[in-house]
Amino acid sequence: MDLTPDQMAAQRLAQAQRIAVLTGAGVSAESGVPTFRGPGGLWESHRPEDLATPQAFSRDPALVWRWYNWRRGLMAKCEPNPAHHALAALERRTPQFTLLTQNIDGLHRRAGSQAPLEMHGNIWWVRCMDCGARYEERELELPAPPTCRECGGLLRPHVVWFGESLDPRILGAAWRAAARCEVMLVVGTSAVVQPAAGLASVARQAGAFVIEVNLEQTPNSAEVHVSLLGKAGEILPELVG
Ligand code: BV8
Ligand code: ZN
């Protein structure tokens, strides 16, 4: 009897020794974190691509910080959803497991993922433009812009903006995980932003079985082995069992 795509995906995940997972904003959507390109992705008529850049920050650090303070306030109220928990459960039962995330909300770690590779940084961390200090800052009433607790200098969010390179160590680890995995699970990303989106092709070309979970088709859909359409919070618990 032939397996359905869901059954095939579940079987591949159950049998794999080496799994890489790539997540985007869609895995946090059911937690209430607005996605970038879906409804609610806009902020006061600004586009993320216009605010999440070094140019926007040097031009108007207060405006960029008002946007991040707004997002931090939102994310502080969000809890991990069943998709985050399913990925933490999959990690616990898979010998070699790497979670690559484009998200900066920190929800994977809160769901129990041990070492998510946060490719685009983390909204709960700041770094000083003057002395380079970097530390976690959970205060929700930050001034816009906040100043460094070490030197009083200007703080920026410890995230990767458009036009900025990713941390080469993190990117290297992500490429290795994609190139070595037997199965890659791509969840909730529009596959628009590079270099993260390209990791699915790296896995595919290295011979991995690639599964996509998304509400809609994406540029990756044509080259994955199984494309499951639906909500991550509903599909992942089914896949992981
Ligand atoms: C770099 C951190 C080298 C900040 C982010 C052409 C012109 C200009 C630039 C470029 C270009 N081509 C490529 C580039 C480079 C650029 C890029 O890719 N631009 C895109 C817009 C074309 N990339 C970069 O700049 C990267 N750096 O390349 O360095 C370099 C150096 C110098 C000069 C040039 C190059 C840096 C990219 C990192 C940017 N930082 N975030 C912050 O968040 O504040 S990216 C941002 O978008 C988030 O991290 C987000 O995660 C990411 C990708 O978006 P998604 O996660 O996919 O989210 P999205 O909303 O798009 O989609 C959600 C998906 O979920 C949808 O498909 C939806 O259907 C689905 N979904 C929704 N609900 C659910 C669901 N699925 C399942 N269940 C649900 N319930
Ligand atoms: Zn400082």
Side-chain angles (χ1 to χ4, degrees), residues 23-27 29-30 34-38 49 52 67-68 71 102-104 120-121 123 159-166 187-195 213-218 230-233:
T23 65
V27 83
E30 290 156 85
T35 61
F36 277 74
R37 293 163 188 89
E49 281 80 6
W67 181 49
Y68 280 94
R71 293 171 70 196
Q102 300 170 85
N103 300 341
I104 63 171
H120 295 162
I123 202 166
V159 300
V160 180
W161 281 327
F162 289 102
E164 293 187 319
S165 301
L166 279 65
V187 187
T189 181
S190 60
V192 161
V193 173
Q194 297 299 343
V213 176
N214 200 306
L215 292 181
E216 61 190 9
Q217 298 288 312
T218 74
K231 290 184 172 182

Side-chain angles (χ1 to χ4, degrees), residues 6 9-10 13 82 86 93 228 231-241:
D6 294 65
L13 288 170
R93 76 174 201 211
L228 303 176
K231 290 184 172 182
E234 292 166 10
I235 292 178
L236 290 193
E238 293 289 312
L239 286 187
V240 174

Side-chain angles (χ1 to χ4, degrees), residues 26-88:
V27 83
S28 296
E30 290 156 85
S31 296
V33 181
T35 61
F36 277 74
R37 293 163 188 89
L42 293 179
W43 178 72
E44 292 184 2
S45 79
H46 290 278
R47 289 180 342 119
E49 281 80 6
D50 298 335
L51 283 174
T53 69
Q55 293 77 11
F57 187 72
S58 58
R59 190 171 51 244
D60 190 345
L63 170 69
V64 173
W65 264 109
R66 281 202 300 280
W67 181 49
Y68 280 94
N69 282 338
W70 175 73
R71 293 171 70 196
R72 287 161 59 102
L74 265 187
M75 290 178 186
K77 301 187 188 88
C78 296
E79 294 295 324
N81 71 61
H84 296 107
H85 290 296
L87 292 175

Side-chain angles (χ1 to χ4, degrees), residues 17-232:
Q17 301 297 305
R18 295 188 310 282
I19 295 176
V21 178
L22 171 66
T23 65
V27 83
S28 296
E30 290 156 85
S31 296
V33 181
T35 61
F36 277 74
R37 293 163 188 89
L42 293 179
W43 178 72
E44 292 184 2
S45 79
H46 290 278
R47 289 180 342 119
E49 281 80 6
D50 298 335
L51 283 174
T53 69
Q55 293 77 11
F57 187 72
S58 58
R59 190 171 51 244
D60 190 345
L63 170 69
V64 173
W65 264 109
R66 281 202 300 280
W67 181 49
Y68 280 94
N69 282 338
W70 175 73
R71 293 171 70 196
R72 287 161 59 102
L74 265 187
M75 290 178 186
K77 301 187 188 88
C78 296
E79 294 295 324
N81 71 61
H84 296 107
H85 290 296
L87 292 175
L90 182 61
E91 175 176 342
R92 286 191 285 273
R93 76 174 201 211
T94 304
Q96 290 181 48
F97 184 94
T98 308
L99 175 61
L100 313 169
T101 188
Q102 300 170 85
N103 300 341
I104 63 171
D105 56 33
L107 289 178
H108 282 302
R109 208 181 293 275
R110 279 185 53 201
S113 294
Q114 294 300 302
L117 279 179
E118 294 174 319
M119 302 168 65
H120 295 162
N122 186 310
I123 202 166
W124 300 112
W125 281 69
V126 294
R127 89 171 174 258
C128 179
M129 305 284 279
D130 296 314
C131 75
R134 71 179 59 173
Y135 52 91
E136 189 169 14
E137 171 54 80
R138 290 268 172 179
E139 170 57 44
L140 291 180
E141 303 298 324
L142 285 179
T147 52
C148 175
R149 70 184 182 199
E150 311 291 335
C151 76
L154 176 62
L155 288 175
R156 62 166 280 175
H158 185 51
V159 300
V160 180
W161 281 327
F162 289 102
E164 293 187 319
S165 301
L166 279 65
D167 178 331
R169 289 160 305 172
I170 292 180
L171 188 54
W175 276 71
R176 279 191 299 280
R180 291 182 186 153
C181 66
E182 296 165 62
V183 176
M184 173 171 267
L185 175 60
V186 184
V187 187
T189 181
S190 60
V192 161
V193 173
Q194 297 299 343
L199 291 169
S201 311
V202 170
R204 180 83 170 78
Q205 282 150 30
F209 186 87
V210 186
I211 302 159
E212 181 183 49
V213 176
N214 200 306
L215 292 181
E216 61 190 9
Q217 298 288 312
T218 74
N220 276 336
S221 302
E223 64 168 309
V224 303
H225 293 92
V226 170
S227 173
L228 303 176
L229 293 183
K231 290 184 172 182

